[in-house]
Amino acid sequence: TARPRVLSGIQPTADSFHFGNYLGALRQWVALQDEHEPFYMVVDQHAITVEQDPKVLRERTYRSAAQLLAMGVDPARSALFVQSHVPAHAQLAWVLNCITAFGEARRMTQFKDKSARQGEGAASVGLFTYPILQAADILLYRPAYVPVGEDQRQHLELTRDLAHRFNTRFKKTFRLPEPYILEATAKIYDLQNPTAKMSKSASSPAGIIDLLDDPKVSAKKIRSAVTDSEAVVAYDPAAKPGVSNLLTIFSALTGRGPVEIAADYEGRGYGDLKGDLADVVVDFVTPLRDRTQALLDDRAALDAVLADGAARAGEVAERTLADVYDRVGF
Ligand code: ADP
Ligand code: NA
């Protein structure tokens, strides 16, 4: 029997992924491989919606692929590829651009967030339309599920709307994908500002735990995380966002519930919790960092994995694109 397909992507816009990316999405990428047929991509075309240095972008694309392999994405079971290596993504995006209403695109809150700093007038049209390219990324593979963090829910809704519109205007072509969002880790918060999401674009360095940080630096960031003045370790996301965020990360890395972990610290302070979490994080990132470096030391092997992934993805994507072109009258 065919395994249900899953698809997801991540932008190569930093030297390292962070714990929000990992716990919100990438950990699920790895877990879903057993029972599904995954397509996972490094979305370099999304990265150029804001200015990038070409050399840095190319290096970050490699670093992204190496981190995914290091955390357990298995090229034998998953097609791991780079978006720009499969031209069908940009080709389908154009068709979908032409069935998206301008007002519909304008409602995407991520554009408002991401263009806030430079101002809407200076932001690229690519940044404005990137959710439509993302819809193309997904729909080409007709996946059942898309593992992502909470911030992607609105884009998944747009994807489903466009799929439905195309299917009814032309002929049933696309599968309507479901978001796969694990509530417990759907939103990891900034360590210094624990009501805002941990984000590579918005967080300060102290607020973000990178997977490839020096483990000593990560430990220090955890010990300096913002908590509250109550000095009672309890899981209560509304009243105690800082401590609860630490407990969420602790829970995700150990498999124990956050309430159960909190109970261990009865009558003890935040310092003990932070110290223990720092140890857990260091034990997790140290081997991951070593594996990533080893993978980066063999570019030919990385190229081979990505070429194989693009060939497998391209085959599926080309078939969908051929159906689409036929249906629109090309
Ligand atoms: P960023 O938001 O840091 O720019 P991306 O947009 O590349 O990162 O997101 C990659 C994946 O990580 C997406 O599935 C996104 O939903 C998820 N993600 C990003 N930040 C967080 C977070 N703080 N908590 C949970 N998931 C997150
Ligand atoms: Na994001």
Side-chain angles (χ1 to χ4, degrees), residues 10 18 20-21 24-25 148-149 151-152 186-188 197-198 200:
I10 182 133
H18 58 73
N21 302 138
V148 285
D151 57 357
Q152 291 298 324
K187 192 167 176 186
I188 301 297
K197 77 162 185 166
M198 186 181 286
K200 67 190 155 215

Side-chain angles (χ1 to χ4, degrees), residues 6-11 20-30 32 39-41 43 110 130 134 137-138 145-157 159 177-188 197:
V6 296
L7 171 135
S8 199
I10 182 133
Q11 300 198 51
N21 302 138
Y22 178 68
L23 297 178
L26 304 178
R27 209 160 72 117
Q28 283 65 261
W29 292 21
V30 175
L32 287 166
F39 290 83
Y40 295 140
M41 61 191 163
V43 291
Q110 285 240 333
Y130 107 86
Q134 190 179 324
D137 297 337
I138 297 167
Y145 304 106
V146 182
V148 285
E150 181 61 39
D151 57 357
Q152 291 298 324
R153 197 182 282 281
Q154 191 188 33
H155 291 166
L156 253 298
E157 273 307 309
T159 300
E178 299 284 344
Y180 183 90
I181 299 175
L182 288 193
E183 289 309 327
T185 50
K187 192 167 176 186
I188 301 297
K197 77 162 185 166

